[in-house]
Amino acid sequence: MRASRRLSAATLVVLLCASPLVAQGLSHWPDTAFNDSFDGTANGPGNDAAAARFLTQATFGPTAADITHLRTVGYQGWLNEQFTATPSTQVPYIDWAYAEHPDDYLSDDVRLAIWSINAAGTPDPSRGGFPNNARTDQLRQRVAFALSEIFVVSNDNGALRDQKWGLASFYDLLSNDAFANYRVLLEDVTKHPVMGIYLSSIQNQKADAEQNIHPDENYAREVMQLFSVGLNQLNLDGTPKLSGGIPIPTYDQSVVHGFAAVFTGWDWNSIGCDPQSYDCCTDDTYTYCGPNASDDARWRNPMQPVESYHDDTQDKQLLNYTGASLANGLLIHGGNAQQEMTAALDNLFRHPNVGPFIATRLIQRLVTSNPTPAYVQRVAQVFNNDGSGVRGNLKAVVKSILLDSEARYGQWQHPDTFGKLREPLLKATHLWRAMDGRSANGTIGNLQTYPGIEDLYGQAPLRSPTVFNFFKPDFAQPGEVATRGLLSPEFQILSDTMAVETPNNLYYQIFCYYTASDACWDGGDADTLQLDEDADAALAVSDPAQLVDQYSLLLMNGQMSPFMHSVLVTRLNAIEDDPPRHPQGRTRVQHLLYLIMNSPEYSIQK
């Protein structure tokens, strides 16, 4: 039964793929509600479709209630609510969950389950005083996820594989700093022990020729290449600066060597350290204690300096650029570990590349893979000065990204190049939120996709296979995309395997995990995240065309083409009642969800 239904639905995806390109574009153009006077500050969306599209960029997926609320309060009112909402966090929940059920919380899959609650907003009444995560701070959580794909750490690292508290703490750091200053974020990331483990900056020692010790260069390279300035010098609009037609490198090996020497002498925080415990050792100058359990506070406390291991004997070459505060780009030796880190991070922060570099990365994650140089420049200018003389204000940067005219109207301004392939994990959260996914008993339990979610979607939070994220921001799919000089980052994980695995998993989400389901072996478990598919069952029977319109708004921002709309209505009308396991209403909802979620039109976020 299960296989035949899946093949039947999959066959219809082929029909959707065959829809004419011209037809797909017809419903994407402005209607009479299009508002040319939008000023990017106080105005709200002119219709429900515009509201849904904004929320697709700013959240883990719009809900009907979110659309109504946004139209009521307007863009600025909604952003103000998001900026002031209490951050949802993971560590307190894990503390609570472990205290209640210590035998059930032994792996990092628990942390991933918490992430899904943050993303989808699954209710959990058993949590007592804990807030219902991400119902109120969707924007913060969405930006945190984007930051996690820039400031990458991963439990794919053997030392981090089961460190759920440490990884949760790092993700909470990104959530807490999502609207802070980039300079604060940069230092918090640099000092976090999970980053110290992942990029081997923890216990990094000064050079000692006799013992053949050399400062580790791993973090020094990645903090420049991936977290701040990139490999080549940039214009304010993100385009590369050229010399003789060749990009100009941002730094060379001498700068890597200098930063590596700066980042020496940092180790586990000694708060709560017991020198008599087996995890400590003492020499004449320093008592070192490493964490002996995954819930040890030292996994969450910032690293602390150990001056005896810090290099204070040499000049350290930093980035040399116009306006650099250090003479000739040199950090003169003699400072302690904190002083030199402060100077080095200030040196990075002030580099002219940072504005366009961070602007491009965040625009790609939230809005479009190929922002125009003008869009990047407008956001970079806000990074450089938020209007009050402050550099690096991430709250202002996020606001400028979402309210920019290209974010709001890019699908019409640049129809051939605007948009992005939806990240597969965001397809899942979109489904959960649109269909009010929740568990019957309010606990997290089995969330279908855990463990091994990266095997089903090609990605999972903080599970990237490399420091370069699941996909590189400059990846270009071979063929027309690359030939036209465009980028398509997410296509890097759209392998033949993922093209099958992700739809298959979405199939089980839709056809097995609905409220009070008994369709699959664990579909009805009280602690399984279940979709509310019966809420629209009556409409599916009485007016299938209206249901297609409703889901076009909720899942596709009202951008469904007439061709696709016609195919879906025809399919729904062909589904007859087959009680008791497959009542007509619910079955129509399921087929509609599955076909939309796996269609080419849905897969490209416009």
Side-chain angles (χ1 to χ4, degrees), residues 449-460:
T449 57
Y450 305 105
I453 186 172
E454 60 269 42
D455 297 327
L456 302 170
Y457 291 98
Q459 61 178 161

Side-chain angles (χ1 to χ4, degrees), residues 420-422 427 596-605:
K420 62 195 294 288
L421 181 69
R422 294 181 193 265
K427 283 188 174 184
I596 289 177
M597 297 295 293
N598 292 293
S599 69
E601 289 189 31
Y602 169 79
S603 294
I604 301 298
Q605 175 185 312

Side-chain angles (χ1 to χ4, degrees), residues 38 155 208 360 500:
F38 173 81
N155 83 334
D208 187 328
T360 301
V500 175

Side-chain angles (χ1 to χ4, degrees), residues 365-584:
R365 299 281 54 77
L366 300 175
V367 178
T368 180
S369 297
N370 294 278
T372 63
Y375 186 8
V376 172
Q377 180 167 326
R378 289 190 293 269
V379 177
Q381 287 172 331
V382 173
F383 182 96
N384 292 345
N385 184 340
D386 67 355
S388 61
V390 175
R391 178 180 176 83
N393 181 349
L394 291 177
K395 180 190 298 184
V397 168
V398 170
K399 177 180 174 181
S400 69
I401 289 172
L402 294 174
L403 294 185
D404 189 89
S405 60
E406 190 165 327
R408 305 279 40 87
Y409 304 142
Q411 76 277 28
W412 299 318
Q413 296 169 340
H414 312 285
D416 292 336
T417 60
F418 184 87
K420 62 195 294 288
L421 181 69
R422 294 181 193 265
E423 295 180 51
L425 194 57
L426 297 183
K427 283 188 174 184
T429 63
H430 194 176
L431 177 65
W432 296 341
R433 286 180 53 75
M435 302 307 294
D436 197 21
R438 62 182 64 207
S439 59
N441 64 7
T443 60
I444 55 177
N446 171 22
L447 289 176
Q448 305 96 304
T449 57
Y450 305 105
I453 186 172
E454 60 269 42
D455 297 327
L456 302 170
Y457 291 98
Q459 61 178 161
L462 303 191
R463 286 197 170 190
S464 169
T466 74
V467 71
F468 297 100
N469 189 28
F470 310 102
F471 39 78
K472 295 182 180 180
D474 58 353
F475 175 79
Q477 182 75 4
E480 185 176 357
V481 172
T483 300
R484 294 183 60 186
L486 300 174
L487 304 175
S488 54
E490 299 84 359
F491 274 89
Q492 192 169 12
I493 58 172
L494 185 61
S495 63
D496 292 345
T497 300
M498 288 302 104
V500 175
E501 287 285 4
T502 300
N504 280 353
N505 188 257
L506 289 172
Y507 170 87
Y508 287 112
Q509 293 274 321
I510 293 167
F511 285 95
C512 294
Y513 301 115
Y514 54 87
T515 306
S517 169
D518 61 353
C520 303
W521 68 273
D522 61 350
D525 289 353
D527 59 353
T528 298
L529 191 148
Q530 301 165 356
L531 307 179
D532 185 5
E533 297 174 345
D534 288 332
D536 296 322
L539 182 61
V541 174
S542 64
D543 195 341
Q546 184 178 340
L547 181 65
V548 174
D549 288 337
Q550 181 174 307
Y551 283 13
S552 172
L553 172 66
L554 200 57
L555 297 172
M556 296 179 61
N557 312 325
Q559 295 173 318
M560 183 182 294
S561 70
F563 175 86
M564 181 175 175
H565 189 280
S566 176
V567 170
L568 292 174
V569 172
T570 299
R571 174 56 185 162
L572 296 191
N573 282 325
I575 297 175
E576 299 179 352
D577 197 23
D578 183 20
R581 294 287 296 277
H582 309 299
Q584 186 179 44

